[in-house]
Amino acid sequence: TIGINSSGEWRRRRSSTKTGYSNIVRCCNPVSYKKFVDFALDQTTTHTHLLPSPLQEKYNSMNSKDGKGELSMLSFQAAKIRLLRSLIIKSETMQVLDFTVFPKAEYDTPIFCANFFTTARTNIVVLDLNPLHDIINQGDYKEKYFKSLIPLGLKYAEHFPWGGKLTSESIKFFSPIVIWTKFTSSPQNYDILYSAFRDYYKVWLEMVGSAVKETDESQILRNLQAQHRYLTWRAEKDPGQGVLKKLIGDTLAKDLLRNFLFNGVDELGSKKFSDYFPQYCCDEDNKKRSTIGKSFESRPWDANGEFLGE
Ligand code: BLA
């Protein structure tokens, strides 16, 4: 049977059956990511009218190869939203939330990004309003969307320590208020994560709500290219890829990544991964040597939201 210890962690406990120890370690704790998605959908409908996405028909639910895991997909669109989609994975050993909302190219609003990977003991979390444009070198974009949010970021940075080194390129897709963290599983941590999720999502909805439609074609194109670059990065480099492949096999995982999770990667632009990220390029023999390493041992943003670099 399964027990819960003082820190709220689900633990293998002495089974009451004659066989002694049960060898099941159940995932996961008192967290349910469905609650997060329900909240987001509910909030979204108070701001805008959500329409089902054409993707919904094909991507709704799927079992893992071993029959012990389930993947649940939802997708919508709205006046200012090209695609709102969520993937929840529940298996015996993990729970995953991948919830991302992509605005239409007429808006330069950040992309809402919540990626939570949970096992019985640990959690890997990214929660952010991913900036569409460079905020390290482009002060005006940072000013426009993030300046007023620095206190919100600081509030949660206090509770959630920096998650440690990450793929160097990723930092450019993150904002100064990113919550990048790892923590042990406990009801208290999930409560705070849920609170952060609600705060970040409400702030993001306000942003989109007040965003003014761009009419300048060159600006729209610039937004579109930035979205495509983002999709290209994530479709290729998502650290969840290995997990997905294990669960549903290479072919379905690739389809899910390119056509559902990062839908648009094959339609919104024609550039390839190596065009956007030549530093990762190119020839197979060099693949190992040419991948950029991991960096940012500690939070590279100061309390004023200034980038500190390496
Ligand atoms: C690890 N997930 C990570 C890491 C990051 C992210 C930064 C740390 C390791 C690394 O930097 O490579 C998440 N990276 C992101 C996000 C962006 C980015 C959100 O660049 C956006 C721009 N994670 C998922 C899903 C699964 C998952 C869906 O989002 C599983 C299905 C798993 N993430 C996962 C696992 C690890 C991880 C298992 C640890 C293994 C590893 O480090 O590769």
Side-chain angles (χ1 to χ4, degrees):
T1 56
I2 309 302
I4 192 166
N5 69 9
S6 55
S7 66
E9 215 176 293
W10 288 105
R11 277 282 167 83
R12 191 186 313 188
R13 198 168 65 185
R14 215 180 148 77
S15 163
S16 56
T17 68
K18 285 182 196 137
T19 52
Y21 287 96
S22 138
N23 56 5
I24 308 164
V25 179
R26 274 278 164 127
C27 189
C28 296
N29 326 311
V31 70
S32 160
Y33 290 132
K34 183 176 179 299
K35 175 172 92 172
F36 289 55
V37 175
D38 287 346
F39 171 84
L41 293 178
D42 193 53
Q43 283 293 303
T44 315
T45 53
T46 68
H47 282 71
T48 183
H49 183 61
L50 277 179
L51 293 166
S53 154
L55 295 174
Q56 187 63 52
E57 204 180 320
K58 180 169 175 203
Y59 301 95
N60 40 68
S61 87
M62 203 189 277
N63 288 328
S64 62
K65 285 193 297 183
D66 66 6
K68 292 176 182 169
E70 194 186 359
L71 291 78
S72 315
M73 287 78 85
L74 283 176
S75 56
F76 297 91
Q77 55 194 13
K80 295 181 174 180
I81 295 173
R82 181 179 70 83
L83 175 64
L84 175 159
R85 93 297 183 278
S86 85
L87 165 69
I88 289 179
I89 304 175
K90 275 188 184 176
S91 80
E92 281 185 313
T93 53
M94 71 181 134
Q95 272 203 55
V96 175
L97 173 67
D98 182 340
F99 178 76
T100 308
V101 194
F102 303 96
K104 287 189 179 164
E106 287 82 3
Y107 305 93
D108 69 355
T109 334
I111 295 165
F112 184 85
C113 167
N115 279 73
F116 308 156
F117 175 82
T118 294
T119 66
R121 284 182 186 80
T122 189
N123 298 271
I124 301 174
V125 162
V126 174
L127 175 62
D128 194 25
L129 317 185
N130 291 155
L132 193 59
H133 298 298
D134 186 339
I135 40 157
I136 292 169
N137 304 304
Q138 214 180 297
D140 53 344
Y141 189 79
K142 187 165 90 179
E143 189 93 352
K144 181 174 175 184
Y145 286 116
F146 295 102
K147 197 177 175 208
S148 63
L149 300 181
I150 301 301
L152 178 68
L154 288 174
K155 174 177 149 189
Y156 287 107
E158 243 170 60
H159 182 78
F160 291 122
W162 186 250
K165 285 191 175 180
L166 70 170
T167 307
S168 315
E169 203 66 37
S170 291
I171 205 74
K172 295 179 195 155
F173 292 101
F174 292 169
S175 83
I177 65 162
V178 65
I179 298 176
W180 153 239
T181 190
K182 293 175 182 163
F183 56 78
T184 53
S185 302
S186 81
Q188 195 188 359
N189 280 334
Y190 294 126
D191 282 347
I192 302 172
L193 184 64
Y194 185 43
S195 159
F197 180 87
R198 284 175 302 177
D199 282 353
Y200 276 49
Y201 197 67
K202 282 191 274 188
V203 158
W204 181 82
L205 277 175
E206 294 293 331
M207 265 182 190
V208 180
S210 53
V212 179
K213 194 170 186 168
E214 183 63 69
T215 51
D216 179 348
E217 279 302 324
S218 67
Q219 284 305 318
I220 297 174
L221 190 62
R222 195 169 155 264
N223 294 342
L224 187 69
Q225 282 168 345
Q227 289 252 3
H228 187 247
R229 184 172 179 275
Y230 179 93
L231 291 166
T232 304
W233 170 257
R234 296 206 57 190
E236 178 92 13
K237 285 285 170 196
D238 204 88
Q241 279 196 34
V243 176
L244 284 177
K245 284 180 181 168
K246 243 187 212 156
L247 284 171
I248 56 175
D250 285 11
T251 312
L252 284 177
K254 195 174 170 222
D255 177 61
L256 193 66
L257 278 158
R258 297 196 79 84
N259 299 318
F260 178 72
L261 293 176
F262 306 112
N263 174 279
V265 66
D266 293 320
E267 294 86 21
L268 299 188
S270 54
K271 281 195 183 174
K272 298 277 170 278
F273 184 81
S274 56
D275 299 326
Y276 288 122
F277 308 100
Q279 63 274 40
Y280 281 85
C281 210
C282 266
D283 73 303
E284 287 297 316
D285 297 344
N286 261 336
K287 227 173 186 170
K288 268 209 186 95
R289 255 189 300 150
S290 55
T291 49
I292 315 188
K294 304 215 175 191
S295 334
F296 310 110
E297 187 75 63
S298 52
R299 191 175 187 86
W301 301 95
D302 73 11
N304 299 314
E306 294 300 326
F307 189 64
L308 300 170
E310 299 262 10

